[in-house]
Each structure stands twice: as C-alpha cells, then as structure tokens.
Amino acid sequence: MTALAQRWCALQVLHDRISSHIERALQPAHGISVREFSLLEVLSHQHYGDGGHMQMKQVAAAVALSQSATTRLVARLEERGLLSRYICPTDRRGIYTEVTPDGRRTLTAARPTNEAALHEALGELAADAEFADLVQVLRG
C-alpha cells in the first residue's frame, strides 16, 4: 500500500472514530445523531435574503449524503418537529427546509455536547501515532 493510500485509510478511520464518539454523546443527551446534528447546523445558517435558502442538492453536498438520503433525513426530522418544509414563494417547484423553534433549541443544547465530544475524541486519537499528525492538522 502506498503512503497516500495509508493516509487515506487512516483519515477514514479517524472520521469514523470521531463520528462514533460524538454519536455516543449526542444520542442519549439530545436524541439526535451526528447526521441530524450536521443537517440542523447547516440549515440553521440559512437566511431570507437572496440565495439564503439552500436547494436540496446543496444541503446534500453540505452533509455528505445523497439527495435521497438527505430527503429521508429531512423527513425524519420534520416528523419530530425539528424541521419544516414549505413551497418556495417565487418558484412553486422549489421546496425550502427550515429549522423550527424546537429544532433550534435542540441544536443550541447539542452544540456544547458536540464540541466536547469532538475534543475528547481528538484527545484520545492524538495519543495514537497513526492518527497524531491528522489530529494536529484538524486542530490547526
């Protein structure tokens, strides 16, 4: 295996371990997954000005999911009252997705948990020689 391939594999493992660590913190404390947190975070930055709302393909790219998986994720969060969807007022074919007040409260409460879990995971992984350089890059 080349050095590049080894680093790529290490990056994938690093991502998976961090995601799992954060998941174990978010689920019991806030009832949301890492993907759900990411989606709420991305959508919370939308606004009503020009270009303020994202199309589903933009949302899908931002959370690294397919459009169909993103649509299913949005539907689950909508069923739980954390998101709402409505027709674009200027283009009846477009559907906007917004974070509801309950979704904002959940996101606000979950942000410190996410941040703490991220720091914990990076601290643990920094001690492993295989991941130390990658963790240093992430920390900046």
Side-chain angles (χ1 to χ4, degrees):
M1 185 180 291
T2 67
L4 177 61
Q6 286 175 324
R7 287 191 302 273
W8 172 243
C9 287
L11 181 60
Q12 288 177 307
V13 169
L14 180 74
H15 175 271
D16 291 347
R17 287 191 185 173
I18 292 169
S19 291
S20 293
H21 191 90
I22 295 171
E23 184 89 26
R24 287 189 302 273
L26 287 174
Q27 269 297 346
H30 307 285
I32 60 173
S33 68
V34 171
R35 292 280 190 200
E36 291 167 338
F37 176 87
S38 296
L39 181 64
L40 289 170
E41 187 67 52
V42 165
L43 293 175
S44 74
H45 295 288
Q46 296 183 120
H47 57 84
Y48 288 104
D50 289 340
H53 278 85
M54 300 170 75
Q55 297 175 342
M56 282 305 264
K57 65 182 176 185
Q58 293 169 307
V59 174
V63 294
L65 290 173
S66 68
Q67 280 189 258
S68 61
T70 302
T71 300
R72 288 189 303 273
L73 184 58
V74 165
R76 282 195 309 270
L77 290 175
E78 185 179 33
E79 286 173 13
R80 292 170 44 204
L82 302 178
L83 293 178
S84 63
R85 289 188 271 191
Y86 64 94
I87 302 294
C88 171
T90 58
D91 178 1
R92 306 292 295 168
R93 296 169 297 166
I95 298 175
Y96 287 162
T97 304
E98 286 193 323
V99 180
T100 64
D102 282 347
R104 289 195 185 284
R105 282 189 288 277
T106 298
L107 181 59
T108 298
R111 280 181 178 137
T113 304
N114 181 75
E115 189 74 12
L118 177 58
H119 284 287
E120 284 176 13
L122 289 174
E124 291 172 12
L125 291 163
D128 187 324
E130 182 180 7
F131 304 114
D133 291 342
L134 289 170
V135 169
Q136 186 175 352
V137 169
L138 285 173
R139 287 181 167 164

